[in-house]
Each structure stands twice: as C-alpha cells, then as structure tokens.
Amino acid sequence: MGGTDAKDILGLPKTPLSLTQEKKSRPQKESHRKPDGISREVYALTGGVAPLMPSIDLKRRPPADEKVAWKWLSFTNSARKDDLQLYHWVRVVNDVPPTGDYSFAKYNKSVDILKYTDEEYENHLTDPVWTKEETDQLFEFCQNFDLRFVVIADRFPVSRTVEELKDRYYSVNRALLRARAQSPADVANHPLMKEPYDITRDRERKRALSMVLSQSRHQEKKDAEILAEAKRITEMRLAARRAEEPDVSANENAGLDKADGVVPGRSVSPTSNSQLPATAVAPSTLTMADYASTLASLRMLHVYLRTYGLEQMVQAASSAVGLRTIKRVEQTLQDLGVNLKPKVPTKTVCDEHLELRKEILTLLNLQKQLQYKESEGSSHREGSYAAMPDTPKDRVFASDPFSFGAERPIKKDQKRKGPGRQADTPSPAHKRPRKLKASDL
Amino acid sequence: MESDIEILSEADASMRKLRIFGIDDREDENGRRRIKDVEVYVPIVCGSIAFYLGKKATEYRTHKWTVYVRGATNEDLGVVIKRVIFHLHPSFNNPTRVVDAPPFALSECGWGEFKIDITVFFHTDVCEKKLELSHVLKLNPENAYGPIPKSIKIPVVAESYNEVVFPDPFESFVARVHNHPAIQISNIPDGLNLPPPGVADTYYLMEKGDTKEHPLSPWFLKFSEVEELFKLTAARQKVQADIAKLKRQLIMVDGQPEGLESSSGYEC
C-alpha cells in the first residue's frame, strides 16, 4: 500500500489496520474513472468524480479550413427598451459575422401580471381596506419587481405586511379570472382557483416557522424527548389495548385521543422538528424516556410476569444501541459468569441484573470513547491521508513534479500539531493545490 | 400549551403525563382505588413432573405426568388465582383443561413432549386481565452430559421460577392479602389506611388449598436467589471498578491531546 511505503521512507509508524483498509477501497475506485482531455491531477481537483455538467471537450479543435478572426463590433440587445448600441468582441468566421439576437437577451424573463381596466375594478375588485390607487400601485410594483413581495412590501408607500399584499394581489387575480371567464368551469383548473391563498394560514405558518427557528437547543431536546415518549406511550397502550378484552374503559379512549391531539398541536411541524433534534439528542436522555415509557406500559398491563418485565426493560436499555453492542453486553455477562436470563428471577435479582446491564453499557461506551480519543491522537498524522481521497498515494513517487508534494503534507501536519505553532492551518483538502514555495524545501 | 409539556426524568413523570393526557387509572369504573408505586408480587413456580410407567407403559401412554402452577414455597395460590386453564396438545381429548380450585395442577398420561400454554385468571378484586405462561413438558431424563436411563421411581422434574407482578394494586386487594404467606408486597408505605378487604371470587381456604401437603411436593425444587444475587453483586462491583479505571484513563488522555505526537522527529 503506497501509504505505508511513504511512511516507511519517512520513518513514521505505520497506520492502524482499520485505516489502511479504509484507504484501500478508495484509490481503487478512483483509478478506473480517469477522463480524457484533462490530466489526472486536474481531474482530481474536481473531487475525482464525474462533473454534474458536461465539461468542455478540449480535444475538439476547430476545422482547419475555417478562418477565424475577432472583430470589435456593435450590437443591440432586444431585452433593452431603448436603442442603445454597445460594442463587444465578436468571433467572425470566414468574414461572416454571427447573426441572431444578443445571446443573453433570452434570460430577460418577466412575470405576466394581469392588467385590469377601471371598469373591471369598479365591478369586481373594490375592497374596504384597499383604495384603487393602492391596488394600482401594488400591481405596478408586482410588474416591476417580478412578484417579489418582500421587495414590494419594503417599497410600498403605505406600510403593509407581505401577507396582506399577497392576499390582495391573489384575491384580485381570482376575482378577475372569475369575471373574465366564460363559465366557472373554465377557470376551475387554474392554480389560483384550486388552491387559493389563505392569509390566516400563511400567517400561522410563518409564525410557526419562526418559532421553530428561534427555539433554543434545550427546547429542541425537550420537544424530541416528549414526542418520543408520547409516541411510545401511545404505541404501548395500543398494543396493550389490543391484548385486552373488548370492554375498554372510556377513560383510556379519551386519553388516547387527547394524547394525539395534544402532541401535534404543540408545534405545527412536529415531524420536521423531531427529525433534526433526534440526532442531536444525547442517547442517555432518550433511554431515560424509554425506561419511563416501558415502566408506564408495564403498569398499564395490570399484571405481568417478572421475566417479561425484565425483558422489556432490557429492550428499552438496548434500544439506543446497535446489535453489535448488544452482543458485546451479552458476551461480557457471560464472561462475568452471569446468566443472560436469570434462573431465579426474583425482584432483587432482576433489579440487579438490569443495573448490571446498564453499567456494562456505560463501560463499553467509555471503552469506545477511550479508543476513539487514542486513535484521534495518532490519526492527526493519518488524517491528512484519510481526508484526501484524491491523493494518489501509490503514484507519489512515480510522478516527479509531485515528489516534493509528498513531503509537504507531512511537514504541514507537524506544524499543525505543535501547540500554538500555526493559527491558520489549512485543511487537508487544500494542501494539494498549494504551489511549491522555496520556504518549504 | 406550554404547561402540557414537562421534563421526563423518571417514571413518575410519565405517570404525571398520563394524567395530563386525561388518564387517571387510579380509579376504575367501580370506583376502586389503586395504591400507586406499590407492587404486589406472587412468587410462583411453573413446572411438570413425569413418571415413567415402566412395565405398565403402552405405546401411547409411556409416562404419567402432572403439569402445575404452584406457589414458590408451596403456599396456597387460591388467594389470588381463580382459575387456570392448561392448553394441551391437540392430540389429547378435550385439550383445554380447566382447573377451578387449588392445587392448580393437571395430570395425564402420554408419550410426547410438547409446549403447554397456561392461562391464569385472577379473582376480580385482584386483576381483571388474564396472564399467559407456557411450559415445555419434559419426559426424558437427562443431565448435563446428555440422556440418562429412565427410572420408574425417580421422576423427571422441570420447573421454572417466576413472579406475577401486580403494579399499583387495588386497595381492597392489598387489604385482603397483605398478611398471606404467598404474597409479597414491595414499597408499601407505613400507616397505610386500607379499606375493608375485598372478597375473592371463590374461597378455598385450607380445604384443598394447602399445597404444602401435596403428594408431589417431595419432588419440588427449591429456588433461592442467593447464588445468583451473589454473582450479580460481584459482577457489578467488577464492572464499576473497570468504569472508574477507564474514567481515570480518559481524563489523562484528555489532558494531553498532542501527547502522542511528541515523539515525531520533525521540527519546523
């Protein structure tokens, strides 16, 4: 592996096994996708994958029989309202200047704003809050500013909120459409008619959004906990209810509905809310909620076997961890000579068993943390290799111009790691493009 | 709306939340009240004893076995259990066998081992829900190394210990049973004012109820938590010691983030 060769030569310790395995797969992927037309290293600059847009085909040369000249000519822009003639360089082929409009004129798009006559206004569009002048001005602004209501709101002489402006504009449009249509059926499919602008909903939506935005971290955590807890409780209760006989008490029914009603009402976008914070919440808080809801659901059963109760609690403890960790916990229990399921499951034994499992989880967690911290220290050096997927490590010594480049990343790392040496350490990704400086050698 | 949400830090909080959601199951439809945070539990043993019939065995009846649910110290379970239903293998006639009085046991003759589903019903003042258990009937003797020869005199005993837990029990139930030897109560507060005791659905006290004299009782296994508890406590101590050691190590590693690089040869 090229990386280890480099390190050998430079006299550095080899990387731990896991890192080499990681790096092996990456260069293999890179090597068989080299494009034509640009050099390998330049291609690697773009991230080593195919570009989103087709790149310029540099191999394609203009045919030899063409005579290309560049002339300074004037041009007109159809997007302009005046007849201003500007000048620019034009590629003239065989003395024939190019035809057609200015190439950027097609980007001058604008929104089609309906225009109403005074008569139409009198008949359909009057409104207690809006005067004709205001409405006219609104429409003029809409035309000028391409329906950018934020800008319109800013420049409107009378101060009105964005929602009010939108409301007025869309209601006028709807009224106009209805008035001008031959029959109501014609316009029924127009997007404006099918989904009319609802000002109260819009206001509510924006208020909710700003609430979500302005939530503190703490609030997010609380919300996620509570939502997870409520979901578990309703799920557990649903399961318990299914196991019950048909005579469910009215209390529980009402409770269940209320539970559904309370939770979504609390924040308008609960799903988006819980998506992000769910990852941010520490596993320990989620597990506490799991225990609580498991205990609650056990109580709802009114009777259960001790072994079943222990199983549920163990499941709750393991819910936040992966299968591998669960297996390690079980292995640890066996190593300690403890039965995975207690042979004499008394209350005390089960409590102790659960506590032991929790402690083992803590232990494994700490072990992982320690491992991570230790490898983090040594991976600072490896980080430059691991973080640079484009480094053709096995080619470092083959291509001469970059032989110095191999040295550079190492040196950079040494600088970075010394305490207080360099305040502005560039990230590994930027090492490559840096030009060789005399000071580096 | 803000008041609806509380921080969940313990099981208690979830109960609070249930109440906020409108469920207060402390009182049921009959106005019976439950005692919160108290647990009534009944140590039971569920098992089977099978005797090989030897010369008297026929092709389809090689063993005489009894499946039962008993109190762990052979106390009378009739105090809480009203009825036990044993669901036998469909090859038996009337595979659903109902036992209405203690001792809650069922005897049969057969040749095969199978899983027996057991449904336990409790007196109304105890719990309205039923409890499901199961037990695998064992006929063929074996020890740690494998099968051993059958004997007519020594039965094959398979028992498993468990506890039936009644969380937040009814006050009247607790009043009725709180001195009964079969019943254990945890967390019971002192000076609790209990209402008059409830009445069990069927009252078989001291008649057929006392299983201490049961003919099979010599074969019952004894279950003690001592050994397991000892192992668990030792394990916990070891794990706690390891945790402390790791925590110390972590603190040390945090103290020198560049500690591992100090051996590098490059100085710039």
Side-chain angles (χ1 to χ4, degrees), chain A residues 54-83:
Chain A
S55 56
I56 304 168
D57 184 9
L58 294 174
K59 283 239 165 84
R60 187 184 69 87
R61 304 223 143 78
D65 56 348
E66 276 186 358
K67 191 166 67 123
V68 170
W70 286 85
K71 293 224 179 92
W72 182 250
L73 297 175
S74 74
F75 70 97
T76 52
N77 183 353
S78 64
R80 293 191 69 93
K81 296 199 186 69
D82 52 18
D83 287 328

Side-chain angles (χ1 to χ4, degrees), chain A residues 118-186:
Chain A
D118 291 344
E119 200 189 300
E120 281 180 319
Y121 188 89
E122 293 299 322
N123 290 338
H124 309 285
L125 307 176
T126 53
D127 185 281
V129 191
W130 286 78
T131 66
K132 184 163 191 310
E133 290 78 30
E134 280 187 319
T135 315
D136 288 347
Q137 182 143 52
L138 170 65
F139 270 69
E140 196 191 316
F141 278 5
C142 286
Q143 176 71 54
N144 291 345
F145 298 129
D146 298 321
L147 281 188
R148 283 182 282 205
F149 283 102
V150 184
V151 177
I152 297 171
D154 196 41
R155 300 192 181 212
F156 214 68
V158 184
S159 86
R160 287 203 184 265
T161 66
V162 171
E163 291 85 29
E164 285 173 7
L165 295 170
K166 280 192 186 177
D167 192 31
R168 180 62 177 151
Y169 174 75
Y170 290 123
S171 343
V172 164
N173 267 325
R174 269 209 306 285
L176 273 180
L177 281 174
R178 242 182 268 126
R180 291 177 185 179
Q182 259 54 25
S183 74
D186 287 346

Side-chain angles (χ1 to χ4, degrees), chain A residues 226 237 306-307 346 373 377, chain B residues 5 18 162-163 225 254 261:
Chain A
I226 282 154
R237 208 176 297 144
R306 181 78 66 196
T307 46
T346 64
K373 284 234 150 74
Chain B
I5 316 302
L18 287 178
N162 217 319
E163 294 182 347
E225 60 174 357
D254 272 341
E261 282 66 54

Side-chain angles (χ1 to χ4, degrees), chain A residues 63-104:
Chain A
D65 56 348
E66 276 186 358
K67 191 166 67 123
V68 170
W70 286 85
K71 293 224 179 92
W72 182 250
L73 297 175
S74 74
F75 70 97
T76 52
N77 183 353
S78 64
R80 293 191 69 93
K81 296 199 186 69
D82 52 18
D83 287 328
L84 181 64
Q85 283 205 336
L86 296 172
Y87 288 78
H88 65 185
W89 286 106
V90 174
R91 187 172 182 268
V92 176
V93 182
N94 292 340
D95 295 330
V96 177
T99 53
D101 193 10
Y102 180 54
S103 61
F104 294 103

Side-chain angles (χ1 to χ4, degrees), chain A residues 296-313:
Chain A
S297 65
L298 284 174
R299 276 184 210 189
M300 295 303 300
L301 293 176
H302 293 321
V303 62
Y304 58 90
L305 280 173
R306 181 78 66 196
T307 46
Y308 174 76
L310 181 62
E311 262 170 40
Q312 295 295 105
M313 291 301 280

